[in-house]
Amino acid sequence: MRTLFIADLHLSENHRHITDALFAFLEKEATNAETLYILGDMFEVWIGDDEHTPLMDEVAQKLTSFAKKNNAKIFYIHGNRDFMIGKRYAKQASMTLLPEHTEIDLYGIKTLIMHGDTLCLFDKNYQRMRKVIHNPILQFIFNCLPLKLRKRIGWKIRTASQSKKVYKNTNMMGVTEQEVIRLMEHHKVQRLIHGHTHQAFIHDFTVNEQAGQRFDVGDWYTNLSFVDANPEGVELVILPIDYYQQ
């Protein structure tokens, strides 16, 4: 019995080494996992399920093959880069889409999982933009635009977001601890697992008058990281990006 959590791979045609790392991870590390949770931003950008690229189709095929071969379940929580992934691609990749804040029973321990962007309240510009881009009416209008125009808009937003990161300090990009406590108290949990910040770490603190833990899954840029859970406990694993290809 084993459950794995990954996030923030930001797959793209320009970073093939990360895609290869994911495929090697599925073939060598995740073979005995009963469940795989992908906590958002698997892709660098997503402009609609009607776009078909070799990368998108290859990833879907590998995930489906993994699920069938290992009789495993795959669950997906949208990230801030790929929040437009819909039911069509989820079905193609054998994934089940989950709400942005989801409670799960992780071997007897109630656990809250999410992408993590909703925790970064100091990044006020992003939070304002998030309210706009998650508006169902605007998403419907966006999906009605020609694919070519959507791709142009999507990459412009990505480029603007990347350039602004240079000017943001760690506190702004990081998690707001008060929001962590608020959500964990609201969901009555002692454990939170999330991505988004790209800072793999285990945080220990007190919540609900008991010991609590927050697992920040980390990204897959220079290293790969994942949370590994089984009935005996939970750990954060960080390895070189090419670990499973050596």
Side-chain angles (χ1 to χ4, degrees):
M1 299 176 67
R2 192 175 180 218
T3 298
L4 302 176
F5 301 81
I6 62 175
D8 298 292
L9 280 68
H10 292 260
L11 300 178
S12 73
E13 289 80 359
N14 298 327
H15 297 93
R16 180 68 201 188
H17 69 289
I18 303 178
T19 304
D20 291 338
L22 170 63
F23 295 165
F25 171 82
L26 294 174
E27 293 172 3
K28 297 181 179 180
E29 179 63 53
T31 52
N32 62 346
E34 58 182 345
T35 310
L36 172 65
Y37 287 94
I38 305 173
L39 304 182
D41 283 2
M42 180 165 65
F43 291 96
E44 175 69 1
V45 66
W46 191 272
I47 52 87
D49 284 12
D50 56 338
E51 181 184 24
H52 290 284
T53 67
L55 175 63
M56 292 166 53
D57 292 339
E58 188 180 13
V59 171
Q61 186 275 322
K62 290 289 186 179
L63 289 174
T64 295
S65 177
F66 159 75
K68 290 181 177 179
K69 183 178 179 180
N70 300 286
N71 193 28
K73 295 180 180 179
I74 305 175
F75 295 96
Y76 197 88
I77 291 182
H78 292 107
N80 55 295
R81 298 284 187 180
D82 53 14
F83 61 91
M84 296 290 287
I85 286 180
K87 294 180 180 179
R88 187 192 310 177
Y89 187 76
K91 183 178 180 180
Q92 182 185 351
S94 299
M95 303 187 303
T96 299
L97 300 177
L98 297 177
E100 63 179 14
H101 296 165
T102 297
E103 298 172 14
I104 63 172
D105 183 340
L106 192 58
Y107 305 114
I109 303 297
K110 185 180 177 183
T111 301
L112 179 63
I113 63 174
M114 63 180 69
H115 175 57
D117 57 332
T118 58
L119 298 173
C120 304
L121 299 187
F122 286 133
D123 192 350
K124 297 184 185 300
N125 288 335
Y126 168 72
Q127 295 300 333
R128 283 193 289 266
M129 182 184 73
R130 189 181 189 280
K131 289 182 179 180
V132 173
I133 62 180
H134 281 263
N135 184 307
I137 297 176
L138 292 180
Q139 288 186 3
F140 174 79
I141 294 173
F142 181 78
N143 278 323
C144 291
L145 297 175
L147 180 60
K148 187 176 181 179
L149 178 57
R150 276 183 281 141
K151 290 175 69 173
R152 192 180 307 153
I153 294 172
W155 282 104
K156 280 188 176 181
I157 293 174
R158 172 194 173 277
T159 302
S161 176
Q162 288 292 98
S163 63
K164 287 180 180 179
K165 279 186 178 181
V166 176
Y167 303 100
K168 292 181 178 180
N169 59 40
T170 303
N171 290 332
M172 186 179 292
M173 291 294 293
V175 163
T176 308
E177 296 299 335
Q178 295 93 327
E179 182 65 6
V180 171
I181 298 298
R182 187 192 72 79
L183 279 173
M184 293 181 72
E185 289 179 342
H186 175 74
H187 289 273
K188 297 180 173 60
V189 298
Q190 303 306 121
R191 180 191 293 147
L192 168 62
I193 302 175
H194 69 88
H196 182 63
T197 69
H198 298 204
Q199 300 169 24
F201 202 76
I202 302 175
H203 302 264
D204 297 295
F205 50 93
T206 300
V207 61
N208 295 313
E209 300 182 348
Q210 299 179 56
Q213 280 191 315
R214 173 168 67 86
F215 288 80
D216 194 332
V217 179
D219 61 42
W220 281 43
Y221 287 171
T222 56
N223 294 311
L224 63 84
S225 58
F226 59 95
V227 170
D228 191 344
N230 61 58
E232 303 302 317
V234 183
E235 65 175 331
L236 175 64
V237 181
I238 304 174
L239 299 168
I241 191 69
D242 61 348
Y243 181 82
Y244 298 106
Q245 299 161 275
Q246 298 175 2

